[in-house]
Amino acid sequence: MADLAQATQQRAARTRWLLLAPALVILLIAASGPLLITLVYSFLTPGDYGGVEWQFSVDAWFNVVMQRDIFDDTLGFSDAHLSIFARSVKLSLMTTVLCLFFGFPTAYFIATRPKKQRDLWMLLIIIPFWTNLLIRTFAVVELVRNEGTVNTLLLWLGVIDAPIQMLYTEFSILVGMVYVYLPLMVLPLYAAMERLDFSLVEAAYDLYATRFQVLRRVIVPLVKPGVVAGSILVFVPSLGAYVTPRVMGGGNQLMIGNLIELQFGQGRNWPLGAALSITLLGIVMLALLLYVRAAGSEEPHRG
Amino acid sequence: MTKTLATTAMFLALAAPAFAEGELNLYNWGNYTSPEMIEKFEKETGIKVTITDYDSNDTALAKIKAGGHGFDIVVPSGTYVPIFIDEGLLMESKPNEMENFSNMDPQWVDVEFDPGRNYTVPWQWGTVGVTVNTSVYDGDIDTSAVIFDPPEELKGKINVTPEMNDLMGLAIHYVGGEQCTADKEVLKKVRDMLQAAKPSWISMDYGMIEKYAAGDVAAGSNWNGASMRARAKNADISFGYPQEGYPVWMDNAAILADATNVEEAKTFLNFIMAPENAAMLSSFARYANGIAGSEEFMPEDMKTAPEIVVPAELKGAAYVARTCPPEATKLYTAIWTELQK
């Protein structure tokens, strides 16, 4: 009798794996295949006009952070690459913080509306998602350019007497990225806040907690998983952003994504592009690990 | 049964025109193909044309090299044609045996990048110079100093087209060298000069016609036709020919080696060599076209445009852009990356 039950269970397990197999195989090929090609390419020699030559070389990896001066052949850190990495990390962190700053009150506002209204508010957050990323970015360009809406309005009001140069600066990249990635912060925050038991907030007030104390001691710890999820969802794509810095940065405020594209285009150095891509992947994984550890260490505290 | 038949009939009715009349996938620079000319081509031949844009020769080269693109025709600059041919990306379609070949201006037949025209047909040709909004700066603009050592009025309002070969050519001539040089003495001067100029530039981007017209940028390196189109929207826009030296380029249509619609593509190449059709290209993109006899079909304002008619004293400063050898390109790329960071 026990044997029969075990056999049935085994069969069920086997069926489950068989049914899952097609999806798993596709996932394995689609996820690791391109990554493997990228890894192999990063150890090859660049072709004269793009592409790769099948000759082993570690030059690409060397060139990620180091470079040989073309004039006096001295070895030094690759100033260009390092400053682009630094800019990418800095802008992504700032984007994450600003998204949190704007996203948190937004999500809180929505979560505290009557149940019927919430769907409408969420719809308003999601609608921009239905629009192409490029179009949303160009809409921001229209706002911040010299003859754009903001400058025209400020000039008309007499606040300024010459347009402020906002487009093609780090500021405009930041505005663009915050606008584009904000929904990715609001959605998980809202999901966490919707589950929040507001009787706990009331209890805190009953116990004479100030508004700030309620926020810090009750709400924030309870929605922390949402904060972490939202931050990851914003930080990771920000780091690899391509379109927004391309359009808002005017081609001389590169981020990692643009630097990688440059290697596959005008730079004609595919191995370097591949090595940079894997470096980007490494930075993202490092960031994720830090997040996971930060989130994990707080766990007992909550319990 | 009836239902199947009906469905099949409907499918055939829908699909038939596409099969019967053919299609053509054109891969070209953005904002460069006259919609009127395409409409005329479609009407005359029944071939449906799909256009896909690119913004630089390198983008086109990389995408075509990668394969699986599905394009039939590409329009690389003369400096890239030898690369496309060497890499085996172009089909030897023999435009020189086509019916309309006799229309090609003889000076564009035996070109260095495709002697005798076995692969390519002229699309447009023009110059790279400087565009200046004269309401911002009204000094001498026939010099590369506009972008490399800009006057106070223009600082922070300059866009440099990120076309490496054109820009390196302008820069090398500005410091007194020759195009494609690998002389490190000269290149060091170029590097230092560019690094010093960069803080005066606000952007390094393509597609600036609207931004010049709206006054978002006041000066920059530019193609003559793009400058002319900006002037059509804003009369203050002028084009200067740098006396230190400026490149002359030609973009050329060619059939790709792995094109699927070869006959349609050949029909198209022959079509754009007809003076009337070449003139339509020019009146849209605002460049000259290399087809003799097309002038009479061109709008009056193009025959006298300062962007098309080079002043006699500046004709000597022009040089025909060549494909630089890989060792020079490697040095240029290093300088260029440093500049774009």
Side-chain angles (χ1 to χ4, degrees):
Chain A
M1 196 63 191
D3 279 359
L4 190 67
Q6 206 180 2
T8 321
Q9 213 166 29
Q10 263 175 6
R11 207 166 39 234
R14 206 167 45 231
T15 320
R16 201 157 50 231
W17 277 110
L18 274 175
L19 284 173
L20 274 174
L24 286 178
V25 168
I26 287 176
L27 209 63
L28 206 68
I29 295 172
S32 57
L35 211 59
L36 217 61
I37 294 173
T38 314
L39 189 68
V40 172
Y41 271 27
S42 73
F43 286 105
L44 296 175
T45 311
D48 278 343
Y49 301 114
V52 286
E53 271 166 38
W54 286 87
Q55 202 170 24
F56 179 81
S57 159
V58 290
D59 278 4
W61 282 99
F62 175 78
N63 281 324
V64 169
V65 285
M66 304 290 280
Q67 67 174 5
R68 203 172 280 285
D69 191 279
I70 51 167
F71 297 117
D72 52 22
D73 242 19
T74 51
L75 208 60
F77 282 110
S78 171
D79 185 34
H81 293 179
L82 291 178
S83 63
I84 291 168
F85 281 147
R87 177 186 295 128
S88 299
V89 172
K90 184 181 84 183
L91 284 178
S92 304
L93 282 175
M94 286 168 80
T95 305
T96 312
V97 170
L98 284 174
C99 278
L100 191 60
F101 181 77
F102 292 115
F104 196 94
T106 311
Y108 187 81
F109 173 81
I110 298 173
T112 50
R113 291 309 97 186
K115 209 165 176 55
K116 272 188 184 164
Q117 282 183 27
R118 286 183 212 166
D119 288 342
L120 177 72
W121 288 107
M122 280 321 284
L123 185 73
L124 290 179
I125 296 287
I126 296 169
I127 280 176
F129 254 10
W130 297 341
T131 319
N132 185 296
L133 173 69
L134 206 56
I135 293 173
R136 279 188 284 155
T137 309
F138 276 108
V140 182
V141 170
E142 191 49 42
L143 279 179
V144 301
R145 67 193 192 90
N146 284 5
E147 310 287 323
T149 319
V150 173
N151 271 319
T152 312
L153 190 70
L154 289 179
L155 282 171
W156 182 74
L157 287 174
V159 181
I160 50 173
D161 44 44
I164 307 169
Q165 182 68 48
M166 291 184 281
L167 192 60
Y168 302 140
T169 61
E170 284 190 359
F171 170 78
S172 65
I173 300 180
L174 198 60
V175 171
M177 294 215 299
V178 169
Y179 171 62
V180 164
Y181 294 125
L182 191 58
L184 293 177
M185 180 64 89
V186 174
L187 294 175
L189 274 178
Y190 169 72
M193 284 183 191
E194 201 192 17
R195 284 197 303 265
L196 186 74
D197 186 352
F198 277 93
S199 55
L200 290 173
V201 175
E202 283 166 26
Y205 281 130
D206 286 348
L207 295 168
Y208 298 105
T210 62
R211 282 166 160 253
F212 182 69
Q213 280 173 324
V214 171
L215 181 70
R216 206 170 63 89
R217 306 288 289 273
V218 180
I219 299 176
V220 170
L222 284 174
V223 300
K224 193 164 178 195
V227 174
V228 173
S231 303
I232 291 175
L233 283 179
V234 172
F235 183 76
V236 170
S238 299
L239 206 53
Y242 170 73
V243 169
T244 313
R246 172 74 217 278
V247 174
M248 311 288 294
N252 55 2
Q253 307 276 342
L254 300 193
M255 284 180 63
I256 302 178
N258 312 92
L259 180 64
I260 292 171
E261 192 263 354
L262 187 67
Q263 304 311 324
F264 286 98
Q266 297 207 50
R268 294 184 198 150
N269 194 339
W270 289 24
L272 179 58
L276 286 167
S277 306
I278 295 174
T279 309
L280 172 62
L281 196 70
I283 299 178
V284 168
M285 274 166 72
L286 195 74
L288 283 181
L289 275 175
L290 288 177
Y291 270 128
V292 169
R293 289 188 68 176
S297 66
E298 294 286 326
E299 211 76 33
H301 185 69
R302 268 203 295 152
Chain B
M1 186 65 196
T2 340
K3 202 177 162 193
T4 321
L5 268 179
T7 319
T8 317
M10 209 168 81
F11 175 71
L12 281 177
L14 283 172
F19 285 127
E21 294 172 350
E23 32 187 289
L24 179 68
N25 293 305
L26 175 62
Y27 190 39
N28 197 358
W29 296 79
N31 207 352
Y32 202 29
T33 316
S34 157
E36 291 82 20
M37 193 203 72
I38 294 296
E39 208 172 287
K40 181 166 178 254
F41 177 75
E42 289 184 331
K43 214 171 265 170
E44 281 179 19
T45 61
I47 297 168
K48 168 104 185 57
V49 181
T50 308
I51 304 170
T52 309
D53 287 357
Y54 54 83
D55 60 7
S56 72
N57 282 305
D58 286 288
T59 308
L61 179 63
K63 190 150 182 181
I64 286 164
K65 257 186 93 147
H69 44 74
F71 301 127
D72 301 308
I73 288 183
V74 69
V75 191
S77 301
T79 46
Y80 278 70
V81 168
I83 301 176
F84 273 82
I85 294 175
D86 284 350
E87 298 277 313
L89 302 173
L90 299 188
M91 177 184 288
E92 196 169 358
S93 60
K94 293 274 176 201
N96 45 19
E97 290 168 6
M98 290 178 185
E99 193 190 332
N100 284 335
F101 185 75
S102 55
N103 294 321
M104 200 188 293
D105 187 332
Q107 69 157 320
W108 290 111
V109 172
D110 263 320
V111 283
E112 204 176 322
F113 54 81
D114 181 16
R117 295 284 182 178
N118 287 306
Y119 294 87
T120 62
V121 165
W123 182 271
Q124 301 270 275
W125 70 269
T127 53
V128 178
V130 292
T131 294
V132 175
N133 186 329
T134 49
S135 72
V136 179
Y137 174 69
D138 59 1
D140 178 22
I141 63 166
D142 286 324
T143 167
S144 297
V146 166
I147 50 173
F148 295 140
D149 184 16
E152 212 47 53
E153 298 95 306
L154 294 176
K155 281 185 181 166
K157 294 169 188 158
I158 293 169
N159 174 71
V160 169
T161 324
E163 198 60 29
M164 184 176 86
N165 293 312
D166 290 346
L167 253 294
M168 286 302 290
L170 281 176
I172 289 168
H173 279 84
Y174 184 67
V175 303
E178 285 294 317
Q179 68 164 326
C180 291
T181 181
D183 182 342
K184 289 195 175 175
E185 289 284 296
V186 175
L187 290 178
K188 195 160 189 167
K189 272 193 230 164
V190 167
R191 199 250 329 242
D192 296 344
M193 184 272 286
L194 288 174
Q195 287 294 346
K198 196 201 165 184
S200 304
W201 305 345
I202 185 62
S203 59
M204 296 172 76
D205 210 353
Y206 295 101
M208 304 303 286
I209 294 176
E210 304 296 332
K211 295 198 172 94
Y212 276 118
D216 284 330
V217 287
S221 63
N222 204 357
W223 295 290
N224 59 331
S227 191
M228 188 169 170
R229 287 167 75 180
R231 178 167 63 88
K233 294 168 196 271
N234 181 344
D236 290 330
I237 303 295
S238 289
F239 185 74
Y241 299 88
Q243 55 200 307
E244 300 86 5
Y246 59 90
V248 172
W249 50 266
M250 174 175 262
D251 291 336
N252 308 269
I255 304 179
L256 288 161
D258 50 357
T260 42
N261 305 302
V262 177
E263 281 316 308
E264 287 84 351
K266 284 183 175 168
T267 311
F268 187 79
L269 291 192
N270 189 49
F271 181 83
I272 60 170
M273 284 191 284
E276 193 189 341
N277 303 330
M280 291 175 93
L281 282 182
S282 291
S283 31
F284 177 78
R286 299 273 149 177
Y287 298 98
N289 56 47
I291 300 297
S294 66
E295 297 80 8
E296 54 182 296
F297 298 99
M298 296 229 231
E300 201 52 44
D301 62 340
M302 276 195 72
K303 295 176 192 165
T304 52
E307 291 87 351
I308 302 283
V309 185
V310 185
E313 69 275 18
L314 290 166
K315 273 192 175 142
Y319 64 87
V320 178
R322 279 208 319 270
T323 314
C324 297
E327 54 279 15
T329 305
K330 220 170 170 174
L331 295 171
Y332 296 178
T333 308
I335 296 174
W336 194 245
T337 312
E338 188 71 19
L339 198 62
Q340 281 200 304
K341 74 176 178 195

